[in-house]
Short mmCIF file of all heavy atoms in Angstrom, two decimals:
data_model
loop_
_atom_site.label_atom_id
_atom_site.label_comp_id
_atom_site.label_asym_id
_atom_site.label_seq_id
_atom_site.Cartn_x
_atom_site.Cartn_y
_atom_site.Cartn_z
N LEU A 1 91.49 139.14 78.44
CA LEU A 1 92.03 139.31 79.79
C LEU A 1 90.86 139.18 80.76
O LEU A 1 89.89 139.94 80.65
CB LEU A 1 92.71 140.66 79.95
CG LEU A 1 93.94 140.93 79.06
CD1 LEU A 1 94.33 142.40 79.12
CD2 LEU A 1 95.11 140.05 79.49
N THR A 2 90.92 138.23 81.67
CA THR A 2 89.82 138.05 82.63
C THR A 2 90.40 138.12 84.04
O THR A 2 91.22 137.29 84.44
CB THR A 2 89.08 136.72 82.38
OG1 THR A 2 90.02 135.66 82.16
CG2 THR A 2 88.18 136.85 81.16
N ILE A 3 89.95 139.13 84.77
CA ILE A 3 90.49 139.43 86.10
C ILE A 3 89.54 138.94 87.19
O ILE A 3 88.41 138.51 86.91
CB ILE A 3 90.77 140.94 86.23
CG1 ILE A 3 89.47 141.73 86.04
CG2 ILE A 3 91.84 141.38 85.22
CD1 ILE A 3 89.62 143.24 86.24
N SER A 4 90.00 139.02 88.44
CA SER A 4 89.19 138.55 89.56
C SER A 4 89.25 139.55 90.70
O SER A 4 89.93 140.58 90.61
CB SER A 4 89.70 137.19 90.05
OG SER A 4 90.86 137.34 90.85
N GLU A 5 88.58 139.21 91.81
CA GLU A 5 88.58 140.09 92.98
C GLU A 5 89.97 140.17 93.62
O GLU A 5 90.22 141.05 94.45
CB GLU A 5 87.55 139.63 94.00
CG GLU A 5 87.71 138.22 94.52
CD GLU A 5 87.07 137.17 93.64
OE1 GLU A 5 86.68 137.49 92.49
OE2 GLU A 5 86.97 136.02 94.09
N GLU A 6 90.87 139.27 93.24
CA GLU A 6 92.24 139.32 93.77
C GLU A 6 93.15 140.24 92.95
O GLU A 6 94.26 140.55 93.37
CB GLU A 6 92.84 137.91 93.81
CG GLU A 6 92.16 136.99 94.83
CD GLU A 6 92.95 135.71 95.06
OE1 GLU A 6 93.99 135.52 94.40
OE2 GLU A 6 92.52 134.91 95.91
N THR A 7 92.69 140.68 91.79
CA THR A 7 93.49 141.56 90.94
C THR A 7 93.61 142.94 91.60
O THR A 7 92.64 143.45 92.15
CB THR A 7 92.85 141.71 89.55
OG1 THR A 7 92.62 140.40 89.00
CG2 THR A 7 93.74 142.50 88.61
N THR A 8 94.80 143.53 91.51
CA THR A 8 95.03 144.84 92.13
C THR A 8 95.07 145.95 91.08
O THR A 8 95.23 145.70 89.88
CB THR A 8 96.37 144.85 92.89
OG1 THR A 8 97.45 144.71 91.94
CG2 THR A 8 96.44 143.71 93.90
N GLU A 9 94.96 147.19 91.55
CA GLU A 9 95.06 148.34 90.65
C GLU A 9 96.44 148.40 90.00
O GLU A 9 96.55 148.76 88.81
CB GLU A 9 94.78 149.64 91.43
CG GLU A 9 93.34 149.77 91.91
CD GLU A 9 93.10 151.05 92.67
OE1 GLU A 9 93.99 151.94 92.66
OE2 GLU A 9 92.02 151.19 93.28
N GLU A 10 97.47 148.05 90.75
CA GLU A 10 98.83 148.06 90.21
C GLU A 10 98.97 147.04 89.07
O GLU A 10 99.63 147.31 88.06
CB GLU A 10 99.84 147.73 91.32
CG GLU A 10 99.99 148.81 92.39
CD GLU A 10 98.81 148.86 93.36
OE1 GLU A 10 98.07 147.84 93.48
OE2 GLU A 10 98.62 149.92 93.99
N GLU A 11 98.33 145.90 89.24
CA GLU A 11 98.38 144.88 88.18
C GLU A 11 97.65 145.35 86.93
O GLU A 11 98.09 145.06 85.81
CB GLU A 11 97.79 143.57 88.70
CG GLU A 11 98.68 142.85 89.71
CD GLU A 11 98.04 141.62 90.29
OE1 GLU A 11 96.80 141.56 90.40
OE2 GLU A 11 98.80 140.68 90.64
N ILE A 12 96.55 146.08 87.10
CA ILE A 12 95.83 146.62 85.94
C ILE A 12 96.72 147.58 85.16
O ILE A 12 96.81 147.51 83.92
CB ILE A 12 94.53 147.33 86.38
CG1 ILE A 12 93.53 146.32 86.96
CG2 ILE A 12 93.91 148.10 85.21
CD1 ILE A 12 93.01 145.29 85.99
N GLU A 13 97.43 148.45 85.86
CA GLU A 13 98.32 149.40 85.18
C GLU A 13 99.45 148.66 84.47
O GLU A 13 99.85 149.04 83.36
CB GLU A 13 98.87 150.42 86.18
CG GLU A 13 97.82 151.31 86.82
CD GLU A 13 96.92 152.01 85.81
OE1 GLU A 13 97.45 152.52 84.79
OE2 GLU A 13 95.69 152.06 86.03
N TYR A 14 99.95 147.62 85.10
CA TYR A 14 101.01 146.82 84.46
C TYR A 14 100.47 146.14 83.20
O TYR A 14 101.16 146.09 82.16
CB TYR A 14 101.55 145.78 85.43
CG TYR A 14 102.68 144.95 84.86
CD1 TYR A 14 104.00 145.38 84.96
CD2 TYR A 14 102.43 143.74 84.21
CE1 TYR A 14 105.05 144.62 84.43
CE2 TYR A 14 103.46 142.98 83.67
CZ TYR A 14 104.76 143.43 83.78
OH TYR A 14 105.79 142.68 83.24
N LEU A 15 99.26 145.60 83.28
CA LEU A 15 98.66 144.94 82.12
C LEU A 15 98.51 145.91 80.95
O LEU A 15 98.82 145.57 79.80
CB LEU A 15 97.28 144.37 82.49
CG LEU A 15 97.24 143.09 83.33
CD1 LEU A 15 95.82 142.79 83.78
CD2 LEU A 15 97.80 141.92 82.53
N ILE A 16 98.04 147.12 81.24
CA ILE A 16 97.86 148.12 80.18
C ILE A 16 99.20 148.40 79.50
O ILE A 16 99.30 148.37 78.26
CB ILE A 16 97.26 149.42 80.76
CG1 ILE A 16 95.81 149.17 81.21
CG2 ILE A 16 97.30 150.54 79.72
CD1 ILE A 16 95.21 150.30 82.02
N GLU A 17 100.21 148.65 80.29
CA GLU A 17 101.53 148.97 79.74
C GLU A 17 102.11 147.78 78.97
O GLU A 17 102.69 147.94 77.89
CB GLU A 17 102.48 149.39 80.86
CG GLU A 17 103.85 149.83 80.37
CD GLU A 17 104.77 150.30 81.49
OE1 GLU A 17 104.26 150.52 82.61
OE2 GLU A 17 105.98 150.44 81.24
N ALA A 18 101.95 146.58 79.52
CA ALA A 18 102.50 145.39 78.88
C ALA A 18 101.84 145.14 77.52
O ALA A 18 102.53 144.82 76.54
CB ALA A 18 102.30 144.17 79.79
N VAL A 19 100.53 145.28 77.45
CA VAL A 19 99.83 145.06 76.18
C VAL A 19 100.18 146.15 75.18
O VAL A 19 100.43 145.87 73.99
CB VAL A 19 98.30 144.98 76.40
CG1 VAL A 19 97.57 144.88 75.06
CG2 VAL A 19 97.94 143.79 77.29
N GLN A 20 100.21 147.40 75.61
CA GLN A 20 100.58 148.50 74.71
C GLN A 20 101.96 148.28 74.12
O GLN A 20 102.17 148.42 72.92
CB GLN A 20 100.52 149.83 75.46
CG GLN A 20 99.11 150.29 75.80
CD GLN A 20 99.09 151.58 76.62
OE1 GLN A 20 100.10 151.97 77.21
NE2 GLN A 20 97.93 152.22 76.69
N ASP A 21 102.91 147.90 74.97
CA ASP A 21 104.28 147.67 74.49
C ASP A 21 104.34 146.47 73.53
O ASP A 21 105.04 146.53 72.50
CB ASP A 21 105.21 147.41 75.68
CG ASP A 21 105.47 148.67 76.50
OD1 ASP A 21 105.11 149.76 76.04
OD2 ASP A 21 106.02 148.54 77.62
N ALA A 22 103.66 145.41 73.87
CA ALA A 22 103.69 144.20 73.04
C ALA A 22 103.06 144.44 71.67
O ALA A 22 103.61 144.01 70.64
CB ALA A 22 102.98 143.05 73.76
N VAL A 23 101.93 145.12 71.65
CA VAL A 23 101.28 145.42 70.37
C VAL A 23 102.18 146.31 69.51
O VAL A 23 102.35 146.08 68.30
CB VAL A 23 99.90 146.09 70.60
CG1 VAL A 23 99.33 146.62 69.27
CG2 VAL A 23 98.93 145.10 71.23
N SER A 24 102.77 147.33 70.12
CA SER A 24 103.67 148.23 69.39
C SER A 24 104.86 147.46 68.82
O SER A 24 105.24 147.67 67.66
CB SER A 24 104.15 149.34 70.33
OG SER A 24 105.03 150.20 69.66
N TYR A 25 105.45 146.58 69.60
CA TYR A 25 106.60 145.81 69.15
C TYR A 25 106.23 144.89 67.98
O TYR A 25 106.95 144.82 66.97
CB TYR A 25 107.16 144.99 70.31
CG TYR A 25 108.29 144.07 69.92
CD1 TYR A 25 109.57 144.57 69.70
CD2 TYR A 25 108.07 142.70 69.77
CE1 TYR A 25 110.62 143.73 69.32
CE2 TYR A 25 109.10 141.85 69.40
CZ TYR A 25 110.37 142.37 69.18
OH TYR A 25 111.39 141.53 68.80
N LEU A 26 105.12 144.19 68.10
CA LEU A 26 104.71 143.26 67.04
C LEU A 26 104.39 144.01 65.75
O LEU A 26 104.73 143.54 64.65
CB LEU A 26 103.49 142.45 67.49
CG LEU A 26 103.75 141.40 68.57
CD1 LEU A 26 102.44 140.82 69.09
CD2 LEU A 26 104.64 140.29 68.03
N ARG A 27 103.76 145.17 65.87
CA ARG A 27 103.45 145.95 64.68
C ARG A 27 104.72 146.49 64.01
O ARG A 27 104.78 146.62 62.79
CB ARG A 27 102.51 147.10 65.05
CG ARG A 27 101.06 146.66 65.27
CD ARG A 27 100.20 147.78 65.77
NE ARG A 27 98.77 147.41 65.79
CZ ARG A 27 97.81 148.18 66.28
NH1 ARG A 27 98.11 149.36 66.84
NH2 ARG A 27 96.55 147.77 66.25
N SER A 28 105.74 146.77 64.82
CA SER A 28 106.97 147.34 64.27
C SER A 28 107.68 146.40 63.31
O SER A 28 108.48 146.84 62.47
CB SER A 28 107.93 147.73 65.41
OG SER A 28 108.49 146.57 66.02
N MET A 29 107.43 145.10 63.42
CA MET A 29 108.09 144.15 62.52
C MET A 29 107.09 143.38 61.66
O MET A 29 107.42 142.34 61.09
CB MET A 29 108.95 143.18 63.34
CG MET A 29 108.20 142.39 64.38
SD MET A 29 109.34 141.33 65.30
CE MET A 29 108.18 140.33 66.23
N SER A 30 105.87 143.89 61.56
CA SER A 30 104.83 143.21 60.78
C SER A 30 104.70 143.80 59.38
O SER A 30 104.40 145.00 59.23
CB SER A 30 103.48 143.32 61.51
OG SER A 30 102.42 142.96 60.66
N PRO A 31 104.91 143.01 58.32
CA PRO A 31 104.70 143.52 56.96
C PRO A 31 103.24 143.89 56.71
O PRO A 31 102.95 144.80 55.93
CB PRO A 31 105.15 142.35 56.07
CG PRO A 31 105.13 141.14 56.95
CD PRO A 31 105.39 141.62 58.33
N VAL A 32 102.33 143.19 57.38
CA VAL A 32 100.90 143.52 57.24
C VAL A 32 100.65 144.93 57.77
O VAL A 32 99.95 145.73 57.14
CB VAL A 32 100.04 142.49 58.01
CG1 VAL A 32 98.57 142.94 58.02
CG2 VAL A 32 100.18 141.11 57.40
N TRP A 33 101.23 145.23 58.94
CA TRP A 33 101.05 146.56 59.52
C TRP A 33 101.68 147.64 58.65
O TRP A 33 101.11 148.72 58.49
CB TRP A 33 101.63 146.59 60.93
CG TRP A 33 101.43 147.90 61.64
CD1 TRP A 33 102.37 148.83 61.94
CD2 TRP A 33 100.18 148.44 62.10
NE1 TRP A 33 101.81 149.91 62.56
CE2 TRP A 33 100.46 149.69 62.68
CE3 TRP A 33 98.87 147.98 62.09
CZ2 TRP A 33 99.48 150.49 63.24
CZ3 TRP A 33 97.88 148.78 62.65
CH2 TRP A 33 98.18 150.01 63.22
N ARG A 34 102.84 147.35 58.04
CA ARG A 34 103.49 148.32 57.16
C ARG A 34 102.60 148.65 55.97
O ARG A 34 102.48 149.81 55.57
CB ARG A 34 104.84 147.78 56.68
CG ARG A 34 105.97 147.93 57.69
CD ARG A 34 107.34 147.82 57.03
NE ARG A 34 107.55 146.51 56.44
CZ ARG A 34 108.05 145.46 57.12
NH1 ARG A 34 108.38 145.60 58.40
NH2 ARG A 34 108.24 144.30 56.52
#
């Protein structure tokens, strides 16, 4: 993830939540993770 001076604090919080949710979802159906 590479941000710039145009990135906002709200976007950072959205990025954190989006990545956390995506990683959790992918792990939930991954046989490797199981």
